[in-house]
Amino acid sequence: MDEFNDLLSKNDLSEEQLNICRDIRRRGKNKVAAQNCRQRKIEQVEELQGKLGKAMARRDRVRYEHQRLLSVYAAEADKLKTLTDLVLSHHSKDNNTWSLQPVIKYGI
């Protein structure tokens, strides 16, 4: 700004000419600021699109894992039902009247 003011003061310019020079400079600076603003906005949008893509990929992985775990759970529940029926029939017990309580031991 100092260089600009020094340049203007060295020349004999009318007030109108000074105002035109200042206006041209202001418009030029504003143009550069607007370009920088648009570029930052583009970079922000690209960053958000990248984050969205990662979030959607993570969501899909979690959904897949959830479905896989539901399948594993259903398979294990079927195994438990089969074993329960087998044990009860071995002891001649009716599975509608009797039930087994699984005991979980940790550290085996």
Side-chain angles (χ1 to χ4, degrees):
M1 185 70 179
D2 288 334
E3 283 182 44
F4 177 73
N5 286 332
D6 289 343
L7 187 62
L8 290 181
S9 65
K10 288 180 183 176
N11 297 313
D12 282 338
L13 300 172
S14 68
E15 191 64 34
E16 184 179 343
Q17 289 172 326
L18 287 173
N19 287 337
I20 290 171
C21 290
R22 288 185 183 117
D23 190 48
I24 290 170
R25 185 169 196 277
R26 180 181 49 78
R27 288 181 189 193
K29 290 182 89 171
N30 188 56
K31 180 180 177 180
V32 170
Q35 287 172 338
N36 291 339
C37 181
R38 286 189 290 274
Q39 184 60 39
R40 279 193 309 273
K41 183 65 101 179
I42 289 169
E43 290 169 359
Q44 289 173 343
V45 168
E46 289 172 351
E47 180 183 351
L48 288 173
Q49 286 175 336
K51 286 181 178 181
L52 176 64
K54 288 179 183 178
M56 291 173 70
R58 183 177 184 277
R59 179 201 61 195
D60 292 343
R61 285 192 310 272
V62 169
R63 281 182 177 170
Y64 173 79
E65 181 66 8
H66 180 70
Q67 289 300 319
R68 188 187 70 78
L69 290 174
L70 286 176
S71 296
V72 168
Y73 178 81
E76 293 299 320
D78 285 344
K79 284 182 192 177
L80 180 60
K81 173 84 170 100
T82 302
L83 289 172
T84 300
D85 291 345
L86 183 65
V87 168
L88 289 176
S89 67
H90 177 74
H91 291 287
S92 301
K93 303 294 183 187
D94 180 25
N95 62 356
N96 293 326
T97 308
W98 295 87
S99 66
L100 297 179
Q101 182 68 38
V103 178
I104 300 172
K105 292 185 180 181
Y106 295 99
I108 296 177

